[in-house]
Amino acid sequence: MALPTITLDAGDGRTIKLPTGLFIDNRFVPSVCGETLDVKNAASRGSLGYISAAVAEDVDVAVASSSRAYQSKWRHVAAAGRRQLLLKLADLIERDLDDFAAIESNDVGQLYGTTKGMLGPMSVEWIRYFAGFADKMEGRSANWDDAGAPSGLSYTRREPYGVTAAIVPWNTPLMLTCWKIAPSIAAGNTLVIKPPELAPLSALKLAQLVIEAGFPPGVINIIPGLGSTAGNALAHHIDVRKIAFTGSTATGRMILEASARSNLKKVSLELGGKSPVIVFDDADFDQAVAWAAAGITAGEGQICAAGSRIYVQDTVYQKFLTAFSEKCKDAAFGNPLAAHTAKGPLISDDQREKVLGFINRAQAKGIPLLHGGNRVGNSNGVENTAFFDVPANAEIIEQEIFGPVAAISKFSTEDEVIQRSNDSNYGLSASVFTTNLSRAHRIAARLESGQVTVNGWGMLAPNMPFGGFKQSGFGRDGGAEALDDWTVVKAVKLVVPKL
Ligand code: NAD
């Protein structure tokens, strides 16, 4: 029986049809036990349709396919072949950016222009960047003639793991999926991807392009499903040699535990954040306000690197509060597919209630509210919200909210703001606004954070590593450093008998 398709509004008078099966061996197939997921429109909460949902048996089938593909064919494909396939995939994603933008608007509630103009092109560039590494898997060589050792040569090889896996969260799923595909495939692995249950549709569109690009069956398998079943089975799978996880710190711990309990597969974790934004009184004030506002309102604050703790020097604090509030408070809420919309919904009822819970508890503690604080009408949105004079031990300073909620506090000295910025379990991202170059470098060096942006926020580039310190995880998603996570190093020692 043919599987149904899902039809989406493309926002430009067209509709988009998407397959609904699990993508295994370049075919869309139902789950072995007929399991399905109801995919919701993020804005209306109405059903977009049902897709197949993987259970443990499907994970076994996908991993077996991935293993077969690796052993029988993929490991013999030359680097140039891998590069060409990735470049072709990047071209196809670029061709279909309108569709991806519409899919993410329907599925995630992400603004159309955000995918079309920024995250989509970034996904394309990520794949192109890593395609270039396919033939640059270089090791090093060393002389091996120390006294007592046989004479010879030693060198290292960077080799693929074989079958690898990726588990992706619901915020920016297209981009994060491409962040996993690009280095894994460039390095010569096969990959099983578990998309997020709340936003699986861009992955199904990607699956169509994997076929069109000409990837051999089984090289990229995509199996939507619940975290507790499909994700859990993948993390425990004995034949998966490496798993890359992006998601919450709580689930990240489970992935690490699953590795420890199964086959000690290599794990990389890109987890949550509580990122500081530091504004000094010598900063370009308007720039600092604009970036600080973008840092907590972009993607409705549902971004791992959201600048959710804002520290402002006391000499410009009052002025900042006024300007920041002006910038944030009246963003036009609406349909994420529409061009004029500046603010969309949160992904789900649960997420909305979670965010409102943080807001209500902060208000109950008497933390002063600068603006916002409510649900937007009866919608799935939450007003851009900011609290000020937030004490260091407040829940909204310590915990990741994953919503458009800023916690603003004032500071006096450099030492004080560094101490307060670093006083967090997280360490994913940080921003510093200053025109003092010495201070910029000094602070960048002292912040416990995987990335520091001076006079900006959230700037991503495929040629720079992205990842966390502390409980924001380990492993890197961009830059040459990412390849360390997708390859294993072998030392080869060659004995050359002396004449
Ligand atoms: P989540 O941890 O709930 O889910 C992430 C993924 O893990 C989903 O695909 C889910 O199905 C799966 N999962 C859930 N339970 C699992 C289990 N027991 N075993 C295996 N897989 C399981 O996270 P989320 O709510 O989807 O995403 C939001 C979180 O992701 C935030 O904490 C955010 O900071 C983080 N995030 C981090 C980065 C980064 O690069 N550091 C990027 C984006 C999002």
Side-chain angles (χ1 to χ4, degrees), residues 203-262:
L204 292 173
K205 166 82 189 166
L206 268 176
Q208 292 179 308
L209 301 189
V210 165
I211 301 176
E212 192 178 342
F215 280 91
V219 172
I220 298 176
N221 289 323
I222 299 178
I223 48 168
L226 294 177
S228 52
T229 50
N232 185 53
L234 201 53
H236 281 89
H237 208 287
I238 209 84
D239 294 329
V240 171
R241 301 265 174 89
K242 183 249 149 66
I243 188 162
F245 171 78
T246 302
S248 62
T249 297
T251 311
R253 287 183 205 283
M254 290 192 230
I255 304 293
L256 206 50
E257 203 176 317
S259 165
R261 288 188 188 283
S262 54

Side-chain angles (χ1 to χ4, degrees), residues 369-390:
L369 185 69
L370 184 64
H371 57 251
N374 300 301
R375 183 174 175 178
V376 181
N378 268 339
S379 76
N380 216 20
V382 171
E383 290 174 349
N384 290 341
T385 298
F387 291 91
F388 64 103
D389 290 354
V390 184

Side-chain angles (χ1 to χ4, degrees), residues 167-171 176 194-197 226-228 231-232 245-248 251 254-255 270-273 304 400 402 428 466:
I167 298 181
V168 179
W170 48 259
N171 67 320
L176 293 176
K194 210 271 316 151
E197 55 269 52
L226 294 177
S228 52
N232 185 53
F245 171 78
T246 302
S248 62
T251 311
M254 290 192 230
I255 304 293
E270 299 284 359
L271 307 176
C304 52
E400 183 182 50
F402 230 52
L428 187 59
F466 183 86

Side-chain angles (χ1 to χ4, degrees), residues 20 54 83 113 135 157 214 217 222 236 244 311 344 346 352 440 464:
T20 59
R83 182 180 62 227
D135 61 358
R157 287 171 51 81
I222 299 178
H236 281 89
Y311 297 105
L346 301 197
R352 187 195 65 226
M464 287 299 282

